[in-house]
Amino acid sequence: MPSCAETPSAVGVSLWRHRDFRRYLTGQAASVAGSSITQMALPVLAVLHLNASTAQVAWLAFLGQLPSALLALHAGALADRHSKRRQMIAGDLVSASVLATVPVAAVLGTLTLTQLMIVAVVQGAASVIHDAAAISLLPSLVDRSLIQRSNSRVGALFAVAATAGSHLGAALTALLGPARALLGDVASYLISAVCSARIQTAEPARARPGSRRLRAEIGEGLRYVRGDNRLWTLTLVNATTSFALGLLNTLWALYLLRALAMSATVFGLVLGLGALGAAAGALTAPALARRYGPGPMMLAALAITPLTQLPLLLASPGRAWQITIGAALFLQLAGAGAAGTTQRSIRQIVTTAGMQARMQAVSTWLTSGARPLAALLAGALGTWLGVRPALTAGTLLLLVPLVVLARSPIRALRHMPDPPATTLPSPAAARTSPPTLPAPALADDARRDRSPGGDAS
């Protein structure tokens, strides 16, 4: 069985000279930058311009996340059945079209919270279609020995793009208003669609007959993930983390903008600082994984995350607390960037080519399915108990993924796993016995000396 550790030839490969990888990276980075503009402008639009209440903010978050819970599995099965690039392009064009209605309505003076909620649902559905294909396309663009390094580059550039998007969003919001600022995100979707259309690398052959029912392929993906201990554990970690952060993020902007009287400009700067932390974490992830092992590194990142919420819970209005919250967000997202890059690489490495989209879809389904529930819980707790107690509850929930990983053998994984022996299982084999990898051999892992070094998801 070939090892996924980088060979000498792979180490010397420059991903920046890989034409289709550059196109993929450019398009997705543009989309991330645009999404950061929306992340910056939309709360300002809802809270400060449309006077949204705590419950309305929660409903807006709930509706935006609902499509992922309902459509992720179907989107993943479609991406494994049809062209991933075409699915990405379709999602981008729908998102651009529906988001463009917001500044148009603002100019006409007809913009309402109801329209924002409808836009959130449609854009959320289009994003699910796009993301299911985009994430699973990467392993077909590069060799598997380069997946961790590719994810590291992707994560770092995405974080830089998010930083630029946050700053651009703050500037556009100040100059044009939050509604017109969303035109930046519209442009980003169009750039993403053009870059996806220019990717020329052939996608893996799809061996399943087109007559198979989509439901059967969805069930195949569910059984595949559930039957592999590593995939299932990392999926549970993602889902429980998502639930806790979903609760926190639903009220985070409301708390900073209203309770802590943070200006829209400072809010954008804080988001940008957090994105820089994510870039730092993604760039250092391969080196940290080699030095400490991917398992211990991910465990440490999960342990740090609840601690980074303490400044938010203790804060009061003022410049010093704004700086402290920004620094805590930098640290939180640095850990998230390192852990996210590593777990994504592990899942992509151990998954066969014909299951990439459905494997990712199962994770997206559980992860995104947790967010609408978290948004509703946040709205209820924020209304009944207050925003700060609700944020405290979210912080405590961040301990759950830490426990899930600590109770798994993955906690002691000292090196990146090897890929499966076969790249495309037969449908019958996948239905009966999904390919599994040996559980981490702790004694063997302890003997392996992974020297530190650095490659920069």
Side-chain angles (χ1 to χ4, degrees), residues 53-58 247-248 250-252 254-255 258-259 373-394:
S53 66
T54 300
Q56 288 171 328
V57 170
L247 195 158
L248 290 166
T250 297
L251 301 175
W252 196 68
L254 178 70
Y255 182 67
R258 187 167 290 171
L373 299 177
L376 289 180
L377 179 60
L381 292 177
T383 301
W384 297 336
L385 302 178
V387 174
R388 197 185 297 257
L391 294 174
T392 302

Side-chain angles (χ1 to χ4, degrees), residues 40 163 166-167 170 263-275 326 329:
M40 166 66 216
T163 303
S166 295
H167 292 306
S263 68
T265 301
V266 173
F267 180 62
L269 292 174
V270 168
L271 292 179
L273 188 60
L329 185 62

